[in-house]
């Protein structure tokens, strides 16, 4: 996970029927994508195919205080029958961010975010997958 051009790493990835959550190494930042309504699209991706999917909601949280953000570029790629690659890229976040906290701000001003993960998704619709890195 790269925030404002700095690699902040990934400590945990969670995927279940509703959400994809990615937590940075410090535990301060969490990127969340609401994927519930897009499983049919995801299931229809053919192996080797890369598809742009507009998910319902994207949030970035700092110390559990969330903000809505909108991607510049996002896609899902089916690498194998079991493995999906998710890619999200956000530019100029500060121009479109909608804070959902009382301070109406984060400690830093987010300007860009890039997130790439590869995971086995087969059990996520009936339970959850958790990767701790």
């Amino acid at each position: 996970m790269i925030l404002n051009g700095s690699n902040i790493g990934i400590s945990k990835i969670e995927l279940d029927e509703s959400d994809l959550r990615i937590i940075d190494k410090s535990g301060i930042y969490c990127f969340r994508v609401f994927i519930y309504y897009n499983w049919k699209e995801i299931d229809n991706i053919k192996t080797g195919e890369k598809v742009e999917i507009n998910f319902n909601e994207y949030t970035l949280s700092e110390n559990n205080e969330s903000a809505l953000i909108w991607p510049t570029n996002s896609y899902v790629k089916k690498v194998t029958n079991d493995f999906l690659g998710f890619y999200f890229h956000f530019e100029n976040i500060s121009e479109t961010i909608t804070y959902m906290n009382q301070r109406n701000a984060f400690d830093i001003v987010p300007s860009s975010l890039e997130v790439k993960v590869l995971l086995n998704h087969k059990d996520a619709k009936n339970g959850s997958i958790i990767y701790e890195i």
Side-chain angles (χ1 to χ4, degrees):
M1 184 160 32
I2 300 170
L3 180 62
N4 291 352
S6 296
N7 187 348
I8 60 173
I10 296 173
S11 66
K12 190 176 196 181
I13 301 168
E14 300 177 20
L15 177 66
D16 60 34
E17 182 181 31
S18 299
D19 298 305
L20 170 62
R21 289 171 299 285
I22 302 162
I23 300 166
D24 79 308
K25 287 234 183 245
S26 69
I28 294 172
Y29 295 98
C30 178
F31 172 66
R32 177 184 163 264
V33 182
F34 185 75
I35 62 172
Y36 182 77
Y37 295 108
N38 297 90
W39 276 113
K40 188 173 182 177
E41 282 179 272
I42 293 168
D43 286 339
N44 287 330
I45 299 172
K46 295 180 175 112
T47 301
E49 186 177 30
K50 178 171 75 171
V51 177
E52 288 186 30
I53 296 179
N54 292 314
F55 293 97
N56 188 45
E57 184 177 294
Y58 309 81
T59 63
L60 178 64
S61 299
E62 179 187 72
N63 296 316
N64 293 322
E65 295 182 342
S66 296
L68 291 169
I69 57 176
W70 289 267
T72 307
N73 184 12
S74 67
Y75 63 81
V76 178
K77 181 174 183 177
K78 188 173 270 185
V79 179
T80 68
N81 197 36
D82 294 335
F83 280 87
L84 290 176
F86 288 88
Y87 174 80
F88 305 97
H89 186 235
F90 301 81
E91 292 272 340
N92 304 316
I93 294 172
S94 59
E95 295 175 12
T96 60
I97 194 167
T98 303
Y99 292 98
M100 301 183 309
N101 60 41
Q102 291 182 352
R103 325 186 266 146
N104 204 28
F106 283 165
D107 291 340
I108 63 151
V109 177
S111 60
S112 66
L113 176 68
E114 184 176 11
V115 180
K116 295 181 204 179
V117 292
L118 178 67
L119 46 93
N120 186 323
H121 76 290
K122 285 295 185 182
D123 296 327
K125 291 194 306 185
N126 299 322
S128 68
I129 298 170
I130 298 174
Y131 296 100
E132 295 198 37
I133 302 167

